[in-house]
Amino acid sequence: LGSAAAIKRGDSETALRFFAFAMRADPDTPLFKVAYKGIKASQKAIADADVKLDRGESRQAMSSADSAAATLRGLGADEAGAMFAEIDSRRCRAHGQMRAFEHALGACERAAKAVGCPHVPSDAKEAEAKSAESKCAAAEPRAYARVLMARAEVHLRDRYPEGALADLHNAQERIQPTAQRGSGEAGRLLRDITEKLQQAEQEKHKHDNNRDHGKMLDLPENLGELPKDRRCDFIKKAYKKSALKWHPDKAMEAGKMRAARKMNEMTEARDHVNERMGCTAPKKDPNEHQQRGHAHAQNEHIERMRQQHFQRAHQQQRQQQQHFQRA
């Protein structure tokens, strides 16, 4: 029962300890040995996938993840269960390295669902959202933190540092209590998350300050040398091409939010390039008229004060002249 509960939570280390204890108590039962060896083999394949991912060998890492999945299936493990979350989080990272971002997000979504934290749609009912939140709060923190870290890595590769920061802060919040209770694995995860947070902050700074809107729309570098009508036509066609590429209806279910974000980025890039190339008038500040009115009123006030000052000075001068004449 203990090993079954650990497997359901995705805690393979605890499951192994239960099986090891059962084998010592009853060494003649082959069922315990088969399960123990199977979980050890899947752990080894997952560790091998991590090594390959760190070396950038994404296809080989995917093969190791598939091997781990086959081993667990042979033990009768549920593919929607938490044991497969570790495998899908590696698949998520591998797809991200291959720049197959929709497949990567799909794998991460399966992993999150497996540990008990499925994606809740924005239009979900309040009771449904609260139920999902309560279920996610009971998820194994280390397993969910690893899923969030994998998705954050994908977001960074996809030039979405805001999403990476959100996932990493969530992972940090989840893993901190476990690390404070003395878990060595949770402590290592927390250190990794802290390092990745610093990296994500740096990437966000670069993304906010060094974005090349022309490159985002795949515009030619000599666009400014073209006549105005041609360069404006180039921008229009490039945006239309991007809009067709990133339309959410064309995306996989897991990639619809990503497609909507990309569409917003392309629209922002188009507006910026159009304004820079003189294809549209600069956008006016909605508060500009009000600010101009305040500035005008302030200038009038300053002018009145200046005139009053000169009038008082002139009046004082006349009074002094009259005084000297009487004297």
Side-chain angles (χ1 to χ4, degrees), residues 39-214:
I39 294 175
K40 287 291 281 185
S42 70
Q43 279 189 328
K44 184 179 178 181
I46 290 171
D48 186 53
D50 284 335
V51 171
K52 288 170 179 173
L53 284 166
D54 290 340
R55 293 202 299 247
E57 299 170 356
S58 48
R59 293 190 184 280
Q60 290 89 336
M62 189 73 79
S63 178
S64 295
D66 290 343
S67 174
T71 303
L72 289 179
R73 279 195 295 269
L75 295 174
D78 181 8
E79 287 198 48
M83 289 291 282
F84 278 84
E86 296 287 350
I87 296 167
D88 275 324
S89 64
R90 272 64 176 187
R91 286 171 172 161
C92 175
R93 291 181 62 199
H95 280 304
Q97 287 187 5
M98 292 186 280
R99 305 194 67 77
F101 294 118
E102 287 190 13
H103 290 286
L105 293 172
C108 272
E109 193 170 308
R110 288 196 306 272
K113 186 177 180 180
V115 297
C117 296
H119 170 69
V120 181
S122 56
D123 58 349
K125 294 180 180 178
E126 186 178 354
E128 184 183 347
K130 282 186 177 179
S131 173
E133 187 179 345
S134 175
K135 186 178 178 183
C136 187
E140 210 289 315
R142 291 165 295 183
Y144 188 41
R146 282 191 287 269
V147 174
L148 291 169
M149 289 172 71
R151 192 168 63 187
E153 182 180 320
V154 171
H155 285 325
L156 281 179
R157 290 183 182 279
D158 194 27
R159 300 191 197 92
Y160 183 35
E162 293 88 351
L165 284 168
D167 279 341
L168 289 170
H169 280 301
N170 192 359
Q172 187 181 50
E173 186 180 333
R174 290 298 184 114
I175 204 70
Q176 215 154 22
T178 310
Q180 288 170 350
R181 287 196 292 269
S183 168
E185 184 186 1
R188 287 191 295 274
L189 279 172
L190 188 59
R191 287 192 292 273
D192 288 345
I193 291 166
T194 304
E195 288 177 10
K196 290 181 185 297
L197 271 170
Q198 293 174 353
Q199 181 189 352
E201 289 285 1
Q202 292 171 358
E203 290 298 322
K204 184 177 184 301
H205 184 266
K206 289 179 188 176
H207 184 260
D208 291 345
N209 296 287
N210 302 321
R211 241 184 300 187
D212 191 330
H213 294 95

Side-chain angles (χ1 to χ4, degrees), residues 274-316:
N274 266 334
E275 185 177 322
R276 183 161 54 88
M277 292 295 170
C279 298
T280 56
K283 288 185 178 179
K284 292 185 178 180
D285 186 349
N287 298 320
E288 183 181 0
H289 180 72
Q290 184 180 2
Q291 290 171 354
R292 192 176 293 169
H294 286 320
H296 181 67
Q298 189 176 12
N299 289 336
E300 284 186 340
H301 175 70
I302 292 171
E303 182 62 25
R304 282 198 303 270
M305 293 291 291
R306 190 173 68 85
Q307 288 178 358
Q308 288 173 4
H309 172 74
F310 283 136
Q311 287 174 358
R312 283 197 298 270
H314 183 64
Q315 189 176 9
Q316 287 176 357

